[in-house]
Amino acid sequence: MTWEPRPTPEVSPETEPYWEAAADGRLLLCECQDCDLQYYYPRARCPDCLSGDVEWVAAAGTGTVYAHTSTQIVSEWPEEDLPLVLAYVELDEGPRMLANLVDCEPDDVEIGSPVEVTFVDTEEPDVAIPVFELRE
Amino acid sequence: MTDDVDAYIAGAFEHPTRDAPDKSIAQLHAEVAAGALEDAGLATDDVDGYFTAGENYQVGRYPPLAMADYLGLDVSYFDSTDDGGSAYVNHVGEAAAAIAHGKCDVALVTLAGRMRTYERDQPEHDDTILQENFERIYGAETLPVYALAARRHMHEYGTTSEQLAEIRAAAAHHAQYNEHAMYQEPVSVEDVVESRTVSDPLHLLDCCVVSDGAGAFVVVSEEVRRQLSRECVAVLGHGAAVEHHDAGRVDLTRTAARDSGRRAFSRAGVTTDDVDYASIYDSFTITVLQTLEDLGFCEKGEGGAFVEDGALKAPHGVLPFNTDGGGLCSNHPDRGGMTKVIEAVRQLRGEANPEVQVPDADVAIAHGTGGYLGTRHAGSTAVLGRVGR
């Protein structure tokens, strides 16, 4: 599967550690040091209490499928990479993360299917994209 | 000096930075939000109104939604009037008006910009759409994120493709009488479920049309209304709400209609039993089904059963909906809320197409869904009433 047309994320200081960790094979969450909330997507302020005391923590990288779709139409996505499986993965830590499921038959995916994170390289060596695959 | 004061400014905060190359626009918004709330002695949980001009969409598409998501706000009123530098002064007035009308009690107004960084550095990173970054890399466009909501609803409540198809069939039934509808051919449940799957479980005919179009309406005061000969329609109530990622606890079976509807019905002093006609935003069939449940026309999870047997068909269904054919068959010019209001007005004036005019329609609703059911969206419900000729 070629990933070159996949949009490369814009890396900013606010999210740089996230993408770098992914390039290093780790999935990060944000954890608020004031209210203990672990959250996704990453951002500099806690979306519960607005505290700026937020740390990066490593997620286990495992979870289950909360919802999924196999989509035939994605603008500017190469036809040979369709259908694309999009899913919300409920991480073991709690947050539901929107991502792709890769290397799977769409018909094999069910709500509740166990998944684990894997990473897709981009043109930038310090940036990788977390995706998920089915886990036995 | 008047002693009739509606609203007061309780806190204010100016960011100390004059050079912020390492911060995102959204982050700056969040930092001043925290500062102003601290100054006021308030917390984010107290905030129920939010205003941002959006500054040329630098925080993302649909600025108030993008920032409500980022900040984790649960708001009953939001606005993004952008008239340039004067916007924030306008927001003072708009916030006061919203508070005077009971739309909210604590309105937060934020601004952020990074002109200096942009002019000097032409920065390599475009961080102005932080959250969309985490969606577009996965191809999470409109269609598949609505499909995710449909999938989850089917899983939790046993909703079927055939039940979703009933919604399209009812819209098509109405569209055949609308000479301007983009698609005027009747459509059966079988036609819908046999149309090709575009993002499972959604089929092609579960999706709205893609059209060009335009619309407008005029709102006037009671004083002006009295001077007009044309029949007017009363705005009995209105409510708004947002749903978003909720820090990663998104619930795909819940829509903002739950809170916007409750607020609108409460203000209008009516219940779902009083509603004779409903314009329900119909970007996809699942949008309608979830909205019907969340507005309270049936119990949560029973939308599938509710729409069976022609419940939505005018003029004699339990709840005639989208009698112009709606976005599913008639018109969806990028945004569909305008036609929802217009058809509700036609019904209350008795000016819908004769075959689908609801007899003696006294109370109608128009409900809009903006954004995306699967990630972040706004719900806006208007309750409208016939004034009489």
Side-chain angles (χ1 to χ4, degrees):
Chain A
M1 186 176 284
T2 170
W3 291 98
E4 193 191 327
R6 178 183 285 264
T8 302
E10 301 285 353
V11 178
S12 69
E14 190 175 7
T15 58
E16 190 173 19
Y18 178 84
W19 304 115
E20 284 188 355
D24 196 31
R26 292 176 300 129
L27 176 66
L28 297 187
L29 293 171
C30 290
E31 183 180 82
C32 176
Q33 302 304 294
D34 282 335
C35 74
D36 298 332
L37 179 73
Q38 290 190 334
Y39 61 88
Y40 177 89
Y41 55 92
R43 71 208 94 159
R45 290 267 168 173
C46 171
D48 187 32
C49 72
L50 218 51
S51 167
D53 190 2
V54 171
E55 299 282 343
W56 296 101
V57 295
T62 49
T64 55
V65 173
Y66 169 74
H68 62 96
T69 183
S70 167
T71 188
Q72 311 286 338
I73 304 170
V74 183
S75 53
E76 296 178 25
W77 214 269
E79 248 180 63
E80 61 267 27
D81 288 343
L82 296 175
L84 178 71
V85 179
L86 181 71
Y88 267 105
V89 169
E90 185 168 298
L91 299 173
D92 291 344
E93 291 80 4
R96 291 171 183 156
M97 175 177 172
L98 195 58
N100 297 128
L101 299 186
V102 300
D103 296 331
C104 62
E105 287 300 317
D107 288 347
D108 292 341
V109 180
E110 294 178 351
I111 289 177
S113 293
V115 295
E116 66 183 344
V117 74
T118 182
F119 299 89
V120 173
D121 290 335
T122 69
E123 290 174 340
E124 300 292 327
D126 292 341
V127 178
I129 296 174
V131 295
F132 290 83
E133 54 191 11
L134 294 174
R135 149 173 72 99
E136 287 311 313
Chain B
M1 187 186 299
T2 180
D3 55 5
D4 183 17
V5 178
D6 289 319
Y8 303 83
I9 295 175
F13 179 76
E14 181 182 2
H15 204 294
T17 190
R18 298 294 179 270
D19 189 13
D22 293 339
K23 293 188 176 187
S24 72
I25 299 270
Q27 185 179 0
L28 290 169
H29 276 279
E31 291 182 1
V32 294
L37 289 170
E38 184 182 1
D39 183 51
L42 294 165
T44 47
D45 284 352
D46 299 317
V47 174
D48 59 359
Y50 180 66
F51 296 74
T52 182
E55 294 92 30
N56 302 321
Y57 299 93
Q58 289 179 16
V59 295
R61 231 169 303 185
Y62 320 136
L65 286 182
M67 284 311 304
D69 188 349
Y70 187 101
L71 296 168
L73 298 177
D74 180 9
V75 288
S76 55
Y77 195 80
F78 40 88
D79 189 86
S80 60
T81 303
D82 186 3
D83 51 321
S86 54
Y88 317 93
V89 184
N90 267 334
H91 293 165
V92 174
E94 289 165 355
I99 288 166
H101 284 265
K103 291 289 193 178
C104 58
D105 290 306
V106 176
L108 173 68
V109 182
T110 64
L111 151 79
R114 296 201 315 162
M115 284 295 285
R116 186 179 187 180
T117 294
Y118 279 101
E119 287 194 351
R120 180 188 59 209
D121 299 342
Q122 301 287 314
E124 297 165 17
H125 60 267
D126 177 5
D127 55 15
T128 57
I129 45 171
L130 181 135
Q131 60 203 212
E132 290 178 22
N133 242 331
F134 292 90
E135 294 161 13
R136 64 182 183 175
I137 56 171
Y138 298 120
E141 298 182 330
T142 306
L143 169 64
V145 298
Y146 275 86
L148 289 173
R151 172 80 71 194
R152 189 69 200 181
H153 199 278
M154 288 179 169
H155 174 75
E156 290 197 23
Y157 300 115
T159 305
T160 65
S161 291
E162 286 74 14
Q163 290 171 329
L164 291 179
E166 292 274 3
I167 295 167
R168 175 67 179 238
H173 174 73
H174 301 153
Q176 66 181 316
Y177 304 111
N178 179 358
E179 62 175 326
H180 304 296
M182 193 160 157
Y183 297 124
Q184 299 173 22
E185 291 293 308
V187 166
S188 69
V189 167
E190 290 71 29
D191 291 335
V192 180
V193 297
E194 286 169 12
S195 66
R196 77 189 161 93
T197 300
V198 286
S199 190
D200 64 355
L202 295 180
H203 299 83
L204 182 64
L205 294 185
D206 285 306
C207 310
C208 69
V209 304
V210 177
S211 60
D212 294 344
F217 54 83
V218 180
V219 182
V220 302
S221 66
E222 169 68 16
E223 190 181 338
V224 172
R225 183 188 78 80
R226 289 171 191 271
Q227 298 168 33
L228 302 176
S229 55
R230 184 73 163 111
E231 180 182 353
C232 292
V233 162
V235 180
L236 302 177
H238 173 264
V242 294
E243 285 285 335
H244 48 62
H245 281 105
D246 193 15
R249 277 71 179 172
V250 67
D251 180 347
L252 293 179
T253 66
R254 187 178 72 203
T255 78
R258 188 186 59 163
D259 289 333
S260 70
R262 178 173 52 74
R263 289 165 182 150
F265 285 126
S266 169
R267 175 65 181 80
V270 303
T271 71
T272 51
D273 288 343
D274 299 313
V275 176
D276 301 306
Y277 165 79
S279 283
I280 306 285
Y281 203 98
D282 54 350
S283 46
F284 299 90
T285 51
I286 185 64
T287 320
V288 176
L289 188 125
Q290 290 209 22
T291 302
L292 289 169
E293 294 176 352
D294 287 340
L295 288 176
F297 288 103
C298 59
E299 293 297 313
K300 191 69 203 172
E302 294 180 4
F306 180 80
V307 301
E308 285 177 334
D309 303 325
L312 300 178
K313 281 186 185 173
H316 299 304
V318 176
L319 182 69
F321 99 126
N322 297 7
T323 40
D324 55 349
L328 288 170
C329 297
S330 175
N331 195 11
H332 191 276
D334 191 30
R335 300 173 186 211
M338 172 59 71
T339 53
K340 294 290 164 283
V341 175
I342 291 173
E343 183 67 5
V345 170
R346 289 193 193 110
Q347 280 286 349
L348 292 172
R349 283 173 161 171
E351 296 174 357
N353 291 309
E355 297 86 350
V356 293
Q357 174 65 49
V358 177
D360 303 318
D362 287 323
V363 176
I365 64 163
H367 179 86
T369 303
Y372 316 96
L373 279 199
T375 52
R376 73 193 70 78
H377 69 275
S380 185
T381 311
V383 181
L384 307 175
R386 185 167 71 167
V387 175
R389 271 143 282 209

